[in-house]
């Protein structure tokens, strides 16, 4: 009996600090697990198929909120992604701390998503976001970079600060800044023996930062059962000193505009982007092409149809329609990318695509999805070819 009382006393003593530290703090564990059978058939190549999740949906993480009083809150967020079809433990997604206030909004510090991804258009208007059928990436026609300044599924920005305003009379805006104007890559100034530049590639806002920034705003309104939203944004990726030495001359500029309309079961949405002097955000990356970000190796399943030629201009438009019938959503969407050629280098390229499919909700947390996507490329070359994509998958959120 005494042993039991001692055990209970010890357990109670250990539990007291945890209870105190939990006062005013709310911790949420969350995640999502997805697997799909996806096959990509590119012209003049053998079919490439997998069972897994290389578009970045599967994740797990922790979100912490502490009430500081006076309308202020402190927040922390840690999130990791993984591929259900591979054995790797996971890759870093968002990791930040934030200070929020009910009146003036929220400021995040750390590794964050860009406003072009989760605030104004981008992944927010694509029903097939985070699947092989998504509008960004292999067969799609929305900007699909992996470095964070586009709307790609695996896009995150290191060493950044982001502000999101509260909604006032339907208006809200968001801004992101990645600071850094150094001529070296890392404040540690570690010498790289194989490079003429000092520094090591890190997450510091160094030479590749150059005070890059992004701004976006949107307006939401309701009228007699109709829901309207319009948005716009500007993204600037400044050319660094190192990039100038290898031929880059001008900063990258991306202008975006779009909107959506919803009435009962119908939803229509779309966006348009104008890109000039593509440097990083609008050019091709392995992750955007369904590559393997862990190894950096190219993946022959995908191609960057939505990417601009390095140093070139272009434009992209995308439109989507969705009809909800009970627990099932039927989707039809598509668009076009026009990448202008670069003198003495890459040729111009135009890609048109369309996607049809459905998402069926088994519950509030589980769903099935599937469909077909066709990409048609003009000015074909060895890299870009017509392609057909089929997908069937399942997702569970927790």
């Amino acid at each position: 009996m005494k042993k039991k009382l001692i055990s209970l006393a010890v357990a109670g003593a250990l539990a007291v600090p945890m209870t105190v530290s939990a006062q005013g703090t709310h911790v949420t564990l969350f995640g999502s697990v997805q697997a799909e059978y996806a096959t990509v058939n590119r012209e003049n190549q053998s079919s490439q198929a997998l069972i897994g999740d290389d578009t970045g949906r599967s994740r797990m993480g922790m979100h912490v909120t502490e009430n500081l009083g006076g309308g202020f809150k402190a927040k922390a967020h840690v999130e990791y992604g993984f591929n259900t079809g591979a054995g790797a433990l996971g890759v870093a997604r968002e990791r930040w701390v934030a200070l929020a206030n009910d009146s003036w909004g929220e400021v995040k510090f750390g590794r964050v998503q860009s406003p072009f991804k989760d605030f104004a258009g981008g992944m927010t208007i694509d029903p097939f976001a985070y699947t092989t059928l998504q509008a960004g990436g292999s067969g799609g026609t929305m900007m699909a970079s992996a470095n964070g300044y586009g709307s790609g599924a695996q896009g995150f920005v290191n060493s950044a600060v982001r502000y999101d305003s509260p909604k006032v009379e339907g208006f809200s805006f968001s801004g992101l800044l990645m600071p850094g104007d150094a001529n070296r890559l890392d404040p540690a100034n570690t010498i790289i023996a194989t490079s003429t530049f000092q520094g090591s590639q890190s997450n510091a806002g160094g030479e590749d930062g150059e005070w890059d920034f992004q701004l976006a705003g949107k307006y939401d309104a309701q009228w007699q059962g109709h829901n309207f939203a319009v948005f716009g944004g500007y993204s600037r990726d400044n050319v660094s000193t190192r990039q100038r030495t290898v031929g880059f001359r001008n900063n990258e500029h991306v202008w975006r505009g779009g909107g959506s309309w919803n009435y009962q079961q119908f939803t229509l949405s779309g966006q348009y982007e104008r890109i000039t002097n593509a440097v990083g955000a609008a050019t091709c990356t392995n992750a955007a092409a369904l590559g393997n970000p862990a190894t950096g190796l190219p993946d022959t399943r995908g191609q960057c149809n939505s990417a601009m030629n390095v140093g070139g201009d272009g434009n992209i438009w995308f439109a989507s329609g969705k009809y909800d019938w009970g627990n099932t959503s039927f989707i039809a969407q598509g668009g076009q990318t026009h990448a202008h050629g670069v003198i003495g280098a890459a040729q111009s390229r135009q890609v048109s695509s369309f996607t049809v499919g459905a998402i069926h909700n088994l519950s509030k947390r589980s769903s099935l999805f599937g469909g077909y996507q066709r990409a048609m490329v003009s000015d074909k070359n060895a890299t870009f070819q017509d392609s057909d994509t089929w997908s069937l998958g399942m997702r569970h959120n927790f």
Side-chain angles (χ1 to χ4, degrees):
M1 184 65 180
K2 290 183 179 180
K3 291 182 178 180
K4 290 183 179 180
L5 290 174
I6 293 174
S7 298
L8 289 172
V10 171
L14 293 175
V16 170
M18 295 181 63
T19 303
V20 172
S21 65
Q23 289 181 354
T25 300
H26 182 70
V27 180
T28 302
L29 300 178
F30 66 91
S32 182
V33 182
Q34 173 177 291
E36 61 177 323
Y37 172 77
T39 177
V40 179
N41 301 310
R42 289 174 59 185
E43 193 175 76
N44 301 321
Q45 294 188 18
S46 59
S47 174
Q48 302 291 321
L50 66 70
I51 296 178
D53 176 22
D54 62 358
T55 57
R57 174 66 193 190
S58 297
R59 68 196 70 172
M60 62 185 302
M62 177 177 64
H63 185 82
V64 183
T65 302
E66 181 185 9
N67 191 345
L68 302 176
F72 284 90
K73 294 180 180 178
K75 298 181 179 181
H77 187 98
V78 179
E79 183 178 324
Y80 288 87
F82 56 91
N83 189 336
T84 51
L89 293 178
V91 295
R93 291 173 59 86
E94 291 186 88
R95 295 182 292 186
W96 48 261
V97 292
L99 183 64
N101 183 276
D102 298 336
S103 300
W104 52 257
E106 180 178 84
V107 183
K108 298 176 182 177
F109 305 91
R111 177 177 166 89
V112 300
Q113 299 191 80
S114 76
F116 268 30
K117 177 182 179 182
D118 68 354
F119 179 81
M123 305 295 278
T124 67
I125 62 173
D126 181 3
F128 280 127
Y130 299 104
T131 75
T132 308
L133 301 173
Q134 65 187 359
S138 178
T141 47
M142 290 168 66
M143 195 167 73
S145 70
N147 67 0
Y149 286 100
S151 57
Q154 300 187 51
F156 301 92
V157 188
N158 292 330
S159 181
V161 55
R162 171 172 166 170
Y163 170 72
D164 291 277
S165 77
K167 185 180 293 186
V168 180
E169 299 295 332
F171 290 94
S172 58
F173 66 92
S174 178
L176 179 144
L177 173 67
M178 187 176 108
D181 56 0
N183 292 326
R184 298 181 175 89
L185 294 178
D186 193 308
N189 295 331
T190 303
I191 297 177
I192 301 177
T194 59
S195 174
T196 58
F197 302 98
Q198 288 185 322
S200 60
Q201 187 66 51
S202 75
N203 294 334
E207 186 183 21
D208 286 328
E210 293 295 327
W211 294 97
D212 299 332
F213 68 92
Q214 198 170 88
L215 299 171
K218 61 182 178 181
Y219 173 72
D220 297 283
Q222 295 79 37
W223 179 74
Q224 295 185 356
H226 297 264
N227 300 297
F228 301 93
V230 292
F231 56 83
Y234 170 71
S235 177
R236 177 169 175 143
D237 190 344
N238 291 327
V239 175
S240 69
T241 302
R242 177 178 59 84
Q243 289 171 325
R244 291 184 186 277
T245 66
V246 295
F248 291 96
R249 293 292 179 265
N250 300 305
N251 299 324
E252 177 189 278
H253 306 271
V254 181
W255 293 92
R256 171 184 289 183
S260 63
W261 165 80
N262 169 262
Y263 180 70
Q264 295 181 355
Q265 292 84 22
F266 292 94
T267 302
L268 298 177
S269 57
Q271 72 180 37
Y272 174 85
E273 290 176 323
R274 172 65 181 171
I275 302 100
T276 59
N277 308 318
V279 174
T283 56
C284 189
T285 62
N286 285 331
L290 300 182
N292 187 342
T295 63
L297 298 176
D299 188 332
T300 55
R301 291 187 344 103
Q303 60 191 25
C304 285
N305 289 333
S306 54
M308 299 293 104
N309 293 318
V310 177
D313 303 339
N315 55 79
I316 305 173
W317 66 265
F318 161 82
S320 175
K322 181 168 72 76
Y323 176 73
D324 298 325
W325 186 34
N327 293 331
T328 304
S329 297
F330 297 95
I331 300 155
Q333 58 189 33
Q336 188 177 86
T337 294
H338 186 193
H340 298 171
V342 180
I343 297 176
Q347 300 177 357
S348 62
R349 182 181 71 260
Q350 183 171 293
V351 183
S352 300
S353 73
F354 68 87
T355 304
V356 292
I359 301 174
H360 177 69
N361 296 312
L362 300 171
S363 68
K364 292 183 178 181
R365 297 179 177 272
S366 300
S367 60
L368 301 173
F369 60 87
Y372 167 75
Q373 184 178 86
R374 171 71 175 173
M376 297 153 286
V377 186
S378 61
D379 301 323
K380 299 181 180 67
N381 52 55
T383 304
F384 296 90
Q385 302 289 341
D386 291 355
S387 63
D388 298 282
T389 300
W390 296 89
S391 176
L392 178 63
M394 180 176 178
R395 174 185 299 168
H396 175 75
N397 302 318
F398 61 90

